[in-house]
Amino acid sequence: MDPARPHHRHLSLPTRRTMLRGGAGLALAMGASAASLLASGSAATAQSRGARRPRDVDYPKAEWLPADKSNYTSSDRPSTYTVEFVVIHVTQETYKDALAIFQNPAKDVSPHYLIRSADGHIAQTVREKDVAWHAGNWDYNTRSVGIEHEGWIDEPDKWFTDEMYAASAALTANICDDYAIPKDRDHIIGHNEVPGADHTDPGPHWDWDRYIELVKAS
């Protein structure tokens, strides 16, 4: 975990949902069906996740447990920033304590997702359209989805479970598919590989070969 506080932390741009909602009213007034309007306005593309309703999760298997709004920057990705990376983190905290940190307005830190060790349960804490503060580098924050994993990097046998690897890989594969991100180590990176990072997670015991194979197979 690592805060990266932008100078423009309160950036808030009109969302695609807002424009669609305005367009829907006009279309209904003209006698067009809302269903046909939404169908034409939400064609599937590799960079299309920004149009979901506020409390929907971006990944169907995730639970919505939002970070405090002070801990991320509202945006409208991928319209505002192209999503190019997935950044892998390890919390150095328990799932419960990490979630409490992301929900604390004084902490200035958040990922998009948090994965529990024991069963691979996934919490979404920030919408993918928004910029989570996880990488310690504003440029990488704007262009990535951050995934935190419960545990400690020096206790891999205890925390890096099969369930966690499988759940995380499936999530990363889904993100890569939605944003046309290549499923390779140039685009799926550790926090320690972010330029300027002073963190070492996910650490030397994170099994990258296994993880990338799971991502490709998902």
Side-chain angles (χ1 to χ4, degrees), residues 99-159:
L99 188 61
I101 289 170
F102 305 144
Q103 294 175 338
N104 183 338
K107 293 299 185 179
D108 294 335
V109 63
S110 64
H112 292 94
Y113 295 97
L114 169 64
I115 303 182
R116 193 161 58 202
S117 171
D119 57 2
H121 180 77
I122 301 172
Q124 180 166 11
T125 62
V126 176
R127 296 288 308 287
E128 290 178 17
K129 71 181 184 64
D130 296 324
V131 179
W133 299 351
H134 62 94
N137 177 315
W138 174 245
D139 178 50
Y140 271 71
N141 280 345
T142 63
R143 297 189 291 133
S144 67
V145 173
I147 304 175
E148 286 277 5
H149 299 79
E150 180 187 24
W152 278 261
I153 65 174
D154 57 351
E155 296 179 325
D157 292 340
K158 179 178 180 179
W159 297 102

Side-chain angles (χ1 to χ4, degrees), residues 15-212:
T15 66
R16 182 168 174 234
R17 175 177 176 265
T18 300
M19 292 185 287
L20 282 173
R21 186 165 58 184
L26 177 60
L28 288 171
M30 296 173 63
S33 71
S36 63
L37 174 70
L38 291 173
S40 64
S42 57
T45 67
Q47 297 272 355
S48 65
R49 278 188 150 184
R52 298 180 189 268
R53 295 187 300 276
R55 294 193 64 82
D56 280 351
V57 290
D58 293 302
Y59 183 61
K61 296 182 180 180
E63 178 185 11
W64 177 240
L65 295 172
D68 189 88
K69 291 182 178 180
S70 298
N71 293 337
Y72 63 90
T73 300
S74 296
S75 190
D76 190 25
R77 303 189 311 170
S79 297
T80 49
Y81 305 100
T82 300
V83 180
E84 303 176 67
F85 301 99
V86 177
V87 180
I88 302 300
H89 303 260
V90 173
T91 59
Q92 302 293 102
E93 299 281 355
T94 65
Y95 175 91
K96 180 180 177 181
D97 288 348
L99 188 61
I101 289 170
F102 305 144
Q103 294 175 338
N104 183 338
K107 293 299 185 179
D108 294 335
V109 63
S110 64
H112 292 94
Y113 295 97
L114 169 64
I115 303 182
R116 193 161 58 202
S117 171
D119 57 2
H121 180 77
I122 301 172
Q124 180 166 11
T125 62
V126 176
R127 296 288 308 287
E128 290 178 17
K129 71 181 184 64
D130 296 324
V131 179
W133 299 351
H134 62 94
N137 177 315
W138 174 245
D139 178 50
Y140 271 71
N141 280 345
T142 63
R143 297 189 291 133
S144 67
V145 173
I147 304 175
E148 286 277 5
H149 299 79
E150 180 187 24
W152 278 261
I153 65 174
D154 57 351
E155 296 179 325
D157 292 340
K158 179 178 180 179
W159 297 102
F160 296 174
T161 63
D162 293 343
E163 292 81 2
M164 174 183 280
Y165 272 119
S168 178
L171 171 60
T172 292
N174 186 263
I175 293 166
C176 289
D177 289 342
D178 278 344
Y179 297 105
I181 300 171
K183 297 174 181 178
D184 59 35
R185 287 286 284 115
D186 290 330
H187 297 86
I188 304 170
I189 63 174
H191 189 179
N192 62 304
E193 296 172 301
V194 174
D198 60 359
H199 283 218
T200 60
D201 59 302
H205 303 297
W206 183 262
D207 192 337
W208 280 110
D209 290 340
R210 176 187 181 188
Y211 189 70
I212 296 298

